[in-house]
Amino acid sequence: MSERNTFARSLHDLGLGAWFGGSLMGVIGLNGAAADEDTADRDRVSTNGWAKWTPVNAAAIAAHLIGGTVILAANARRVQYQRGVDVSTAAKLAATGAAMAATAYTRVLGKRLERATEPGPDGGGEGTEDLMSADDARRQLHIAQWAVPALTGVVMVLNSLHGEQQRPEEQRRGVLQRVTGRDVP
C-alpha cells in the first residue's frame, strides 16, 4: 500500500475503541453500580445510563464503519491477491456484523425493559405479565450486553492480525503463496 490512510485508520480504531470500551464499562461499571439499587431504581438508573450512551455509541460505530470502508477500499488489491487476507477480512466483517446486531438487540431489549418497568397506563407497573416480560428482558439483556464487548474484542484481535499481515515480508509471502499455490518460506 503506497498511500497513507491515517485519518481513516484513526476513525476506524477510535470508533472501535469507544465501542468496545463503552460497552465493557457499561456492563461492569454502570450495571454494577445500578445493581446496588432496588429493582425499580436499578432498571431506571441502568436504562437511563445506557440511553445517554446510545448517541455516543452510534457515532463511534459510524466512525468505525466509515474508517473501515475507506481502509477496505484502499486495500482491495491486497485482499484479493495476498493469501489469507480475504479470510481474515471476511471474519472481521462477520464479527463486526454480529457486534452491530448484538448492539442493536441490546437497545431493543433496553427499550422493552424501560416500557415494562415504567409506571402508568402504558408501562408495566406492577402487573404480573409485565413483570415476567421485564424479567425476560433483564435476562436477555444481561447476555446481549456481554456479547457486545466480546464481539468487538474479536474485531480488535482481527484488526491486529490485519496489521501483522501488512508487514512487507508477510505481503511478499502471501502474494507468492496465492500465485504459486504453495507455502513459501
Side-chain angles (χ1 to χ4, degrees):
M1 188 167 83
S2 61
E3 65 185 61
R4 289 183 180 223
N5 297 107
T6 305
F7 183 71
R9 287 180 188 282
S10 297
L11 282 177
H12 176 269
D13 293 349
L14 288 170
L16 181 58
W19 189 8
F20 170 79
S23 63
L24 188 61
M25 191 288 303
V27 295
I28 294 171
L30 177 60
N31 290 354
D36 294 338
E37 305 296 325
D38 65 42
T39 302
D41 287 339
R42 176 184 63 222
D43 291 339
R44 182 184 51 76
V45 168
S46 182
T47 57
N48 188 32
W50 282 105
K52 289 181 183 306
W53 171 247
T54 296
V56 176
N57 197 40
I61 294 168
H64 173 68
L65 295 176
I66 291 166
T69 300
V70 172
I71 292 167
L72 182 58
N75 286 284
R77 291 179 46 85
R78 195 169 66 78
V79 172
Q80 182 180 3
Y81 293 113
Q82 184 181 343
R83 186 173 180 195
V85 176
D86 54 349
V87 174
S88 62
T89 299
K92 186 174 171 185
L93 288 170
T96 301
M100 289 174 58
T103 301
Y105 189 54
T106 62
R107 187 65 184 137
V108 168
L109 289 171
K111 292 300 279 181
R112 181 175 163 201
L113 184 58
E114 265 182 65
R115 284 191 304 275
T117 58
E118 65 188 15
D122 293 333
E126 296 297 321
T128 305
E129 289 179 29
D130 293 327
L131 287 177
M132 287 298 290
S133 177
D135 287 342
D136 288 344
R138 275 186 211 99
R139 278 191 292 279
Q140 292 176 22
L141 191 56
H142 178 76
I143 294 167
Q145 284 176 332
W146 275 104
V148 177
L151 290 165
T152 53
V154 169
V155 175
M156 290 180 131
V157 170
L158 291 168
N159 194 45
S160 296
L161 173 61
H162 276 172
E164 292 297 316
Q165 289 173 327
Q166 288 184 332
R167 293 173 180 254
E169 183 57 30
E170 287 292 315
Q171 288 185 34
R172 181 194 70 78
R173 186 179 309 128
V175 170
L176 286 174
Q177 286 175 343
R178 174 74 74 181
V179 171
T180 65
R182 303 180 303 174
D183 284 340
V184 177

